[in-house]
Amino acid sequence: MRVFVDADGCPVAKLTARLCAGAGVDCTLVCDTAHSFDLPGVTLLQTDKGRDSADLVIANRVQPGDVVVTQDYGLAALCLARKVRVLHQDGWEYRQENIDGLLTFRAESSRWRDAGNRQKGPAKRKPSQDAAFQKALEGILQFQG
């Protein structure tokens, strides 16, 4: 098992690295050149700037049994098709049962924005979100092997 993090703007990148190190699991942070991480024991893959560049690197490297941490529904769908477990930064897991609805929501939101409508940005991150993520990732790492 390896853990890949879609690290562009990911609020749990450092937490993921720490949890993986504690479990003895390889952790790779993938980000574009606009971001930088200096974390011991972590592999950093930097991609060119550009939409979806980090996503494509992750999708092309994962193998069945790996874990991906992302908030990107499109990347989650690609990884699910490769038999990879995918965890959202808020601690819930993407599954075949929920990905179609999430992709539909993403498409509808895009149409809404393209029509000139505005949406609120995400709410400020809460400690409970980090706790839920930590619990979920620890549960996955516990059964590594």
Side-chain angles (χ1 to χ4, degrees), residues 5 10-22 27 29 37 39 69 89 125 127 129-135 137-138 141:
V5 180
C10 180
V12 294
K14 292 178 183 176
L15 175 58
T16 302
R18 183 174 54 80
L19 294 173
C20 287
C27 181
L29 302 181
F37 293 89
L39 300 171
V69 176
Q89 66 191 21
R125 189 156 180 88
Q129 291 169 293
D130 288 341
F133 174 82
Q134 181 171 342
K135 182 179 179 183
L137 183 57
E138 285 174 338
L141 295 174

PDB file of all heavy atoms in Angstrom, residues 5 10-22 27 29 37 39 69 89 125 127 129-135 137-138 141:
ATOM      1  N   VAL A   5      -1.181  11.867  -2.146  1.00  0.00           N
ATOM      2  CA  VAL A   5      -1.972  13.020  -1.741  1.00  0.00           C
ATOM      3  C   VAL A   5      -1.998  14.035  -2.872  1.00  0.00           C
ATOM      4  O   VAL A   5      -0.943  14.452  -3.359  1.00  0.00           O
ATOM      5  CB  VAL A   5      -1.394  13.691  -0.467  1.00  0.00           C
ATOM      6  CG1 VAL A   5      -2.240  14.888  -0.069  1.00  0.00           C
ATOM      7  CG2 VAL A   5      -1.291  12.682   0.662  1.00  0.00           C
ATOM      8  N   CYS A  10      -4.303  21.081  -0.294  1.00  0.00           N
ATOM      9  CA  CYS A  10      -4.857  20.060   0.593  1.00  0.00           C
ATOM     10  C   CYS A  10      -4.558  20.398   2.056  1.00  0.00           C
ATOM     11  O   CYS A  10      -3.399  20.466   2.450  1.00  0.00           O
ATOM     12  CB  CYS A  10      -4.266  18.697   0.254  1.00  0.00           C
ATOM     13  SG  CYS A  10      -4.879  17.375   1.303  1.00  0.00           S
ATOM     14  N   PRO A  11      -5.591  20.582   2.873  1.00  0.00           N
ATOM     15  CA  PRO A  11      -5.368  20.962   4.265  1.00  0.00           C
ATOM     16  C   PRO A  11      -4.868  19.821   5.156  1.00  0.00           C
ATOM     17  O   PRO A  11      -4.496  20.061   6.302  1.00  0.00           O
ATOM     18  CB  PRO A  11      -6.748  21.445   4.725  1.00  0.00           C
ATOM     19  CG  PRO A  11      -7.700  20.691   3.869  1.00  0.00           C
ATOM     20  CD  PRO A  11      -7.021  20.535   2.541  1.00  0.00           C
ATOM     21  N   VAL A  12      -4.858  18.591   4.642  1.00  0.00           N
ATOM     22  CA  VAL A  12      -4.427  17.463   5.477  1.00  0.00           C
ATOM     23  C   VAL A  12      -3.153  16.803   4.952  1.00  0.00           C
ATOM     24  O   VAL A  12      -2.830  15.682   5.340  1.00  0.00           O
ATOM     25  CB  VAL A  12      -5.557  16.416   5.631  1.00  0.00           C
ATOM     26  CG1 VAL A  12      -6.730  17.000   6.411  1.00  0.00           C
ATOM     27  CG2 VAL A  12      -5.999  15.875   4.283  1.00  0.00           C
ATOM     28  N   ALA A  13      -2.402  17.495   4.117  1.00  0.00           N
ATOM     29  CA  ALA A  13      -1.177  16.917   3.559  1.00  0.00           C
ATOM     30  C   ALA A  13      -0.177  16.570   4.665  1.00  0.00           C
ATOM     31  O   ALA A  13       0.357  15.457   4.705  1.00  0.00           O
ATOM     32  CB  ALA A  13      -0.551  17.860   2.538  1.00  0.00           C
ATOM     33  N   LYS A  14       0.071  17.492   5.564  1.00  0.00           N
ATOM     34  CA  LYS A  14       1.036  17.238   6.645  1.00  0.00           C
ATOM     35  C   LYS A  14       0.534  16.169   7.601  1.00  0.00           C
ATOM     36  O   LYS A  14       1.297  15.311   8.049  1.00  0.00           O
ATOM     37  CB  LYS A  14       1.358  18.533   7.399  1.00  0.00           C
ATOM     38  CG  LYS A  14       2.133  19.516   6.565  1.00  0.00           C
ATOM     39  CD  LYS A  14       2.408  20.802   7.318  1.00  0.00           C
ATOM     40  CE  LYS A  14       3.121  21.793   6.424  1.00  0.00           C
ATOM     41  NZ  LYS A  14       3.322  23.085   7.089  1.00  0.00           N
ATOM     42  N   LEU A  15      -0.734  16.193   7.913  1.00  0.00           N
ATOM     43  CA  LEU A  15      -1.330  15.182   8.786  1.00  0.00           C
ATOM     44  C   LEU A  15      -1.214  13.796   8.140  1.00  0.00           C
ATOM     45  O   LEU A  15      -0.842  12.819   8.800  1.00  0.00           O
ATOM     46  CB  LEU A  15      -2.795  15.523   9.065  1.00  0.00           C
ATOM     47  CG  LEU A  15      -3.605  14.506   9.870  1.00  0.00           C
ATOM     48  CD1 LEU A  15      -2.976  14.232  11.230  1.00  0.00           C
ATOM     49  CD2 LEU A  15      -5.040  14.996  10.019  1.00  0.00           C
ATOM     50  N   THR A  16      -1.481  13.719   6.853  1.00  0.00           N
ATOM     51  CA  THR A  16      -1.366  12.452   6.142  1.00  0.00           C
ATOM     52  C   THR A  16       0.069  11.937   6.188  1.00  0.00           C
ATOM     53  O   THR A  16       0.298  10.757   6.462  1.00  0.00           O
ATOM     54  CB  THR A  16      -1.821  12.611   4.677  1.00  0.00           C
ATOM     55  OG1 THR A  16      -3.163  13.091   4.654  1.00  0.00           O
ATOM     56  CG2 THR A  16      -1.729  11.293   3.920  1.00  0.00           C
ATOM     57  N   ALA A  17       1.025  12.817   5.939  1.00  0.00           N
ATOM     58  CA  ALA A  17       2.441  12.425   5.976  1.00  0.00           C
ATOM     59  C   ALA A  17       2.819  11.885   7.350  1.00  0.00           C
ATOM     60  O   ALA A  17       3.503  10.861   7.462  1.00  0.00           O
ATOM     61  CB  ALA A  17       3.314  13.610   5.597  1.00  0.00           C
ATOM     62  N   ARG A  18       2.360  12.548   8.395  1.00  0.00           N
ATOM     63  CA  ARG A  18       2.679  12.119   9.766  1.00  0.00           C
ATOM     64  C   ARG A  18       2.067  10.756  10.070  1.00  0.00           C
ATOM     65  O   ARG A  18       2.726   9.868  10.636  1.00  0.00           O
ATOM     66  CB  ARG A  18       2.190  13.168  10.763  1.00  0.00           C
ATOM     67  CG  ARG A  18       2.533  12.846  12.214  1.00  0.00           C
ATOM     68  CD  ARG A  18       2.166  13.972  13.159  1.00  0.00           C
ATOM     69  NE  ARG A  18       0.800  14.419  13.088  1.00  0.00           N
ATOM     70  CZ  ARG A  18      -0.239  13.806  13.673  1.00  0.00           C
ATOM     71  NH1 ARG A  18      -0.064  12.701  14.363  1.00  0.00           N
ATOM     72  NH2 ARG A  18      -1.456  14.319  13.572  1.00  0.00           N
ATOM     73  N   LEU A  19       0.814  10.563   9.692  1.00  0.00           N
ATOM     74  CA  LEU A  19       0.143   9.287   9.952  1.00  0.00           C
ATOM     75  C   LEU A  19       0.786   8.151   9.168  1.00  0.00           C
ATOM     76  O   LEU A  19       0.945   7.039   9.686  1.00  0.00           O
ATOM     77  CB  LEU A  19      -1.345   9.393   9.622  1.00  0.00           C
ATOM     78  CG  LEU A  19      -2.164  10.330  10.511  1.00  0.00           C
ATOM     79  CD1 LEU A  19      -3.579  10.476   9.970  1.00  0.00           C
ATOM     80  CD2 LEU A  19      -2.175   9.852  11.950  1.00  0.00           C
ATOM     81  N   CYS A  20       1.159   8.413   7.931  1.00  0.00           N
ATOM     82  CA  CYS A  20       1.820   7.386   7.119  1.00  0.00           C
ATOM     83  C   CYS A  20       3.183   7.016   7.707  1.00  0.00           C
ATOM     84  O   CYS A  20       3.532   5.836   7.766  1.00  0.00           O
ATOM     85  CB  CYS A  20       1.976   7.859   5.678  1.00  0.00           C
ATOM     86  SG  CYS A  20       0.429   7.889   4.755  1.00  0.00           S
ATOM     87  N   ALA A  21       3.920   8.021   8.134  1.00  0.00           N
ATOM     88  CA  ALA A  21       5.234   7.751   8.733  1.00  0.00           C
ATOM     89  C   ALA A  21       5.073   6.875   9.971  1.00  0.00           C
ATOM     90  O   ALA A  21       5.841   5.918  10.173  1.00  0.00           O
ATOM     91  CB  ALA A  21       5.931   9.055   9.082  1.00  0.00           C
ATOM     92  N   GLY A  22       4.088   7.171  10.785  1.00  0.00           N
ATOM     93  CA  GLY A  22       3.848   6.389  11.990  1.00  0.00           C
ATOM     94  C   GLY A  22       3.449   4.954  11.699  1.00  0.00           C
ATOM     95  O   GLY A  22       3.708   4.043  12.491  1.00  0.00           O
ATOM     96  N   CYS A  27       4.405   7.569   1.540  1.00  0.00           N
ATOM     97  CA  CYS A  27       3.501   8.688   1.270  1.00  0.00           C
ATOM     98  C   CYS A  27       4.123   9.573   0.202  1.00  0.00           C
ATOM     99  O   CYS A  27       5.283   9.965   0.319  1.00  0.00           O
ATOM    100  CB  CYS A  27       3.257   9.491   2.542  1.00  0.00           C
ATOM    101  SG  CYS A  27       2.122  10.885   2.332  1.00  0.00           S
ATOM    102  N   LEU A  29       3.421  13.102  -1.939  1.00  0.00           N
ATOM    103  CA  LEU A  29       2.653  14.329  -2.142  1.00  0.00           C
ATOM    104  C   LEU A  29       2.869  14.772  -3.580  1.00  0.00           C
ATOM    105  O   LEU A  29       4.013  14.891  -4.031  1.00  0.00           O
ATOM    106  CB  LEU A  29       3.117  15.430  -1.187  1.00  0.00           C
ATOM    107  CG  LEU A  29       3.048  15.139   0.311  1.00  0.00           C
ATOM    108  CD1 LEU A  29       3.525  16.349   1.101  1.00  0.00           C
ATOM    109  CD2 LEU A  29       1.657  14.733   0.739  1.00  0.00           C
ATOM    110  N   PHE A  37       6.652  21.489  -0.353  1.00  0.00           N
ATOM    111  CA  PHE A  37       6.593  20.810   0.933  1.00  0.00           C
ATOM    112  C   PHE A  37       7.990  20.326   1.278  1.00  0.00           C
ATOM    113  O   PHE A  37       8.734  19.872   0.401  1.00  0.00           O
ATOM    114  CB  PHE A  37       5.649  19.601   0.877  1.00  0.00           C
ATOM    115  CG  PHE A  37       4.209  19.957   0.677  1.00  0.00           C
ATOM    116  CD1 PHE A  37       3.675  20.078  -0.593  1.00  0.00           C
ATOM    117  CD2 PHE A  37       3.380  20.187   1.770  1.00  0.00           C
ATOM    118  CE1 PHE A  37       2.352  20.409  -0.777  1.00  0.00           C
ATOM    119  CE2 PHE A  37       2.048  20.522   1.594  1.00  0.00           C
ATOM    120  CZ  PHE A  37       1.535  20.634   0.319  1.00  0.00           C
ATOM    121  N   LEU A  39       8.906  17.834   3.987  1.00  0.00           N
ATOM    122  CA  LEU A  39       8.531  16.935   5.069  1.00  0.00           C
ATOM    123  C   LEU A  39       9.432  15.707   5.027  1.00  0.00           C
ATOM    124  O   LEU A  39       9.577  15.081   3.976  1.00  0.00           O
ATOM    125  CB  LEU A  39       7.071  16.515   4.932  1.00  0.00           C
ATOM    126  CG  LEU A  39       6.043  17.640   4.958  1.00  0.00           C
ATOM    127  CD1 LEU A  39       4.667  17.116   4.584  1.00  0.00           C
ATOM    128  CD2 LEU A  39       6.005  18.287   6.320  1.00  0.00           C
ATOM    129  N   VAL A  69      -5.694  10.588  -1.406  1.00  0.00           N
ATOM    130  CA  VAL A  69      -6.387  11.622  -0.645  1.00  0.00           C
ATOM    131  C   VAL A  69      -6.607  12.801  -1.585  1.00  0.00           C
ATOM    132  O   VAL A  69      -5.643  13.369  -2.114  1.00  0.00           O
ATOM    133  CB  VAL A  69      -5.556  12.066   0.585  1.00  0.00           C
ATOM    134  CG1 VAL A  69      -6.253  13.212   1.310  1.00  0.00           C
ATOM    135  CG2 VAL A  69      -5.295  10.889   1.515  1.00  0.00           C
ATOM    136  N   GLN A  89     -10.721  14.777   2.076  1.00  0.00           N
ATOM    137  CA  GLN A  89     -10.028  15.455   3.176  1.00  0.00           C
ATOM    138  C   GLN A  89     -10.903  15.652   4.412  1.00  0.00           C
ATOM    139  O   GLN A  89     -10.388  15.972   5.489  1.00  0.00           O
ATOM    140  CB  GLN A  89      -9.492  16.797   2.697  1.00  0.00           C
ATOM    141  CG  GLN A  89     -10.599  17.781   2.343  1.00  0.00           C
ATOM    142  CD  GLN A  89     -10.100  18.997   1.623  1.00  0.00           C
ATOM    143  OE1 GLN A  89      -9.023  18.987   1.043  1.00  0.00           O
ATOM    144  NE2 GLN A  89     -10.873  20.072   1.670  1.00  0.00           N
ATOM    145  N   ARG A 125     -12.275  25.700   7.751  1.00  0.00           N
ATOM    146  CA  ARG A 125     -12.056  24.318   8.182  1.00  0.00           C
ATOM    147  C   ARG A 125     -12.148  24.216   9.704  1.00  0.00           C
ATOM    148  O   ARG A 125     -11.627  25.031  10.434  1.00  0.00           O
ATOM    149  CB  ARG A 125     -10.688  23.832   7.698  1.00  0.00           C
ATOM    150  CG  ARG A 125     -10.497  22.354   7.923  1.00  0.00           C
ATOM    151  CD  ARG A 125      -9.478  21.772   6.993  1.00  0.00           C
ATOM    152  NE  ARG A 125      -9.339  20.364   7.243  1.00  0.00           N
ATOM    153  CZ  ARG A 125     -10.073  19.428   6.666  1.00  0.00           C
ATOM    154  NH1 ARG A 125     -10.981  19.772   5.792  1.00  0.00           N
ATOM    155  NH2 ARG A 125      -9.898  18.151   6.949  1.00  0.00           N
ATOM    156  N   PRO A 127     -11.739  21.833  13.340  1.00  0.00           N
ATOM    157  CA  PRO A 127     -10.951  20.730  13.915  1.00  0.00           C
ATOM    158  C   PRO A 127     -11.666  19.385  13.794  1.00  0.00           C
ATOM    159  O   PRO A 127     -11.013  18.349  13.652  1.00  0.00           O
ATOM    160  CB  PRO A 127     -10.777  21.136  15.379  1.00  0.00           C
ATOM    161  CG  PRO A 127     -10.884  22.629  15.379  1.00  0.00           C
ATOM    162  CD  PRO A 127     -11.877  22.950  14.288  1.00  0.00           C
ATOM    163  N   GLN A 129     -13.251  18.282  11.291  1.00  0.00           N
ATOM    164  CA  GLN A 129     -12.971  17.727   9.973  1.00  0.00           C
ATOM    165  C   GLN A 129     -11.620  17.006   9.972  1.00  0.00           C
ATOM    166  O   GLN A 129     -11.487  15.924   9.407  1.00  0.00           O
ATOM    167  CB  GLN A 129     -12.994  18.823   8.907  1.00  0.00           C
ATOM    168  CG  GLN A 129     -14.385  19.386   8.665  1.00  0.00           C
ATOM    169  CD  GLN A 129     -14.353  20.631   7.809  1.00  0.00           C
ATOM    170  OE1 GLN A 129     -13.841  21.667   8.231  1.00  0.00           O
ATOM    171  NE2 GLN A 129     -14.889  20.515   6.607  1.00  0.00           N
ATOM    172  N   ASP A 130     -10.627  17.631  10.606  1.00  0.00           N
ATOM    173  CA  ASP A 130      -9.319  16.987  10.717  1.00  0.00           C
ATOM    174  C   ASP A 130      -9.417  15.704  11.534  1.00  0.00           C
ATOM    175  O   ASP A 130      -8.800  14.695  11.191  1.00  0.00           O
ATOM    176  CB  ASP A 130      -8.290  17.927  11.361  1.00  0.00           C
ATOM    177  CG  ASP A 130      -7.868  19.057  10.444  1.00  0.00           C
ATOM    178  OD1 ASP A 130      -8.070  18.953   9.214  1.00  0.00           O
ATOM    179  OD2 ASP A 130      -7.331  20.051  10.954  1.00  0.00           O
ATOM    180  N   ALA A 131     -10.193  15.728  12.600  1.00  0.00           N
ATOM    181  CA  ALA A 131     -10.353  14.540  13.446  1.00  0.00           C
ATOM    182  C   ALA A 131     -11.031  13.411  12.668  1.00  0.00           C
ATOM    183  O   ALA A 131     -10.624  12.238  12.780  1.00  0.00           O
ATOM    184  CB  ALA A 131     -11.155  14.883  14.696  1.00  0.00           C
ATOM    185  N   ALA A 132     -12.042  13.744  11.877  1.00  0.00           N
ATOM    186  CA  ALA A 132     -12.730  12.723  11.073  1.00  0.00           C
ATOM    187  C   ALA A 132     -11.784  12.139  10.034  1.00  0.00           C
ATOM    188  O   ALA A 132     -11.763  10.920   9.806  1.00  0.00           O
ATOM    189  CB  ALA A 132     -13.966  13.317  10.401  1.00  0.00           C
ATOM    190  N   PHE A 133     -10.979  12.992   9.413  1.00  0.00           N
ATOM    191  CA  PHE A 133     -10.013  12.509   8.430  1.00  0.00           C
ATOM    192  C   PHE A 133      -8.989  11.591   9.093  1.00  0.00           C
ATOM    193  O   PHE A 133      -8.680  10.515   8.586  1.00  0.00           O
ATOM    194  CB  PHE A 133      -9.303  13.670   7.730  1.00  0.00           C
ATOM    195  CG  PHE A 133      -8.211  13.197   6.821  1.00  0.00           C
ATOM    196  CD1 PHE A 133      -8.522  12.746   5.546  1.00  0.00           C
ATOM    197  CD2 PHE A 133      -6.897  13.151   7.241  1.00  0.00           C
ATOM    198  CE1 PHE A 133      -7.523  12.253   4.708  1.00  0.00           C
ATOM    199  CE2 PHE A 133      -5.902  12.663   6.413  1.00  0.00           C
ATOM    200  CZ  PHE A 133      -6.217  12.222   5.141  1.00  0.00           C
ATOM    201  N   GLN A 134      -8.461  12.029  10.224  1.00  0.00           N
ATOM    202  CA  GLN A 134      -7.459  11.234  10.918  1.00  0.00           C
ATOM    203  C   GLN A 134      -8.014   9.854  11.283  1.00  0.00           C
ATOM    204  O   GLN A 134      -7.363   8.838  11.074  1.00  0.00           O
ATOM    205  CB  GLN A 134      -6.965  11.954  12.174  1.00  0.00           C
ATOM    206  CG  GLN A 134      -5.903  11.165  12.909  1.00  0.00           C
ATOM    207  CD  GLN A 134      -5.249  11.955  14.032  1.00  0.00           C
ATOM    208  OE1 GLN A 134      -5.330  13.183  14.086  1.00  0.00           O
ATOM    209  NE2 GLN A 134      -4.591  11.253  14.922  1.00  0.00           N
ATOM    210  N   LYS A 135      -9.208   9.813  11.804  1.00  0.00           N
ATOM    211  CA  LYS A 135      -9.835   8.547  12.179  1.00  0.00           C
ATOM    212  C   LYS A 135      -9.986   7.630  10.963  1.00  0.00           C
ATOM    213  O   LYS A 135      -9.690   6.428  11.026  1.00  0.00           O
ATOM    214  CB  LYS A 135     -11.193   8.802  12.827  1.00  0.00           C
ATOM    215  CG  LYS A 135     -11.899   7.547  13.284  1.00  0.00           C
ATOM    216  CD  LYS A 135     -13.225   7.862  13.949  1.00  0.00           C
ATOM    217  CE  LYS A 135     -13.924   6.580  14.384  1.00  0.00           C
ATOM    218  NZ  LYS A 135     -15.228   6.832  14.956  1.00  0.00           N
ATOM    219  N   LEU A 137      -8.304   7.727   8.018  1.00  0.00           N
ATOM    220  CA  LEU A 137      -7.023   7.279   7.475  1.00  0.00           C
ATOM    221  C   LEU A 137      -6.353   6.277   8.406  1.00  0.00           C
ATOM    222  O   LEU A 137      -5.800   5.278   7.944  1.00  0.00           O
ATOM    223  CB  LEU A 137      -6.095   8.465   7.195  1.00  0.00           C
ATOM    224  CG  LEU A 137      -4.754   8.092   6.548  1.00  0.00           C
ATOM    225  CD1 LEU A 137      -4.956   7.338   5.230  1.00  0.00           C
ATOM    226  CD2 LEU A 137      -3.901   9.326   6.332  1.00  0.00           C
ATOM    227  N   GLU A 138      -6.423   6.506   9.701  1.00  0.00           N
ATOM    228  CA  GLU A 138      -5.861   5.535  10.643  1.00  0.00           C
ATOM    229  C   GLU A 138      -6.541   4.178  10.483  1.00  0.00           C
ATOM    230  O   GLU A 138      -5.879   3.135  10.563  1.00  0.00           O
ATOM    231  CB  GLU A 138      -5.993   6.032  12.077  1.00  0.00           C
ATOM    232  CG  GLU A 138      -5.017   7.111  12.441  1.00  0.00           C
ATOM    233  CD  GLU A 138      -5.234   7.708  13.830  1.00  0.00           C
ATOM    234  OE1 GLU A 138      -6.359   7.611  14.370  1.00  0.00           O
ATOM    235  OE2 GLU A 138      -4.269   8.281  14.357  1.00  0.00           O
ATOM    236  N   LEU A 141      -4.996   2.628   7.363  1.00  0.00           N
ATOM    237  CA  LEU A 141      -3.588   2.264   7.575  1.00  0.00           C
ATOM    238  C   LEU A 141      -3.443   1.076   8.521  1.00  0.00           C
ATOM    239  O   LEU A 141      -2.506   0.297   8.408  1.00  0.00           O
ATOM    240  CB  LEU A 141      -2.800   3.457   8.112  1.00  0.00           C
ATOM    241  CG  LEU A 141      -2.682   4.656   7.159  1.00  0.00           C
ATOM    242  CD1 LEU A 141      -1.998   5.816   7.866  1.00  0.00           C
ATOM    243  CD2 LEU A 141      -1.945   4.280   5.882  1.00  0.00           C
TER     244      LEU A 141
END
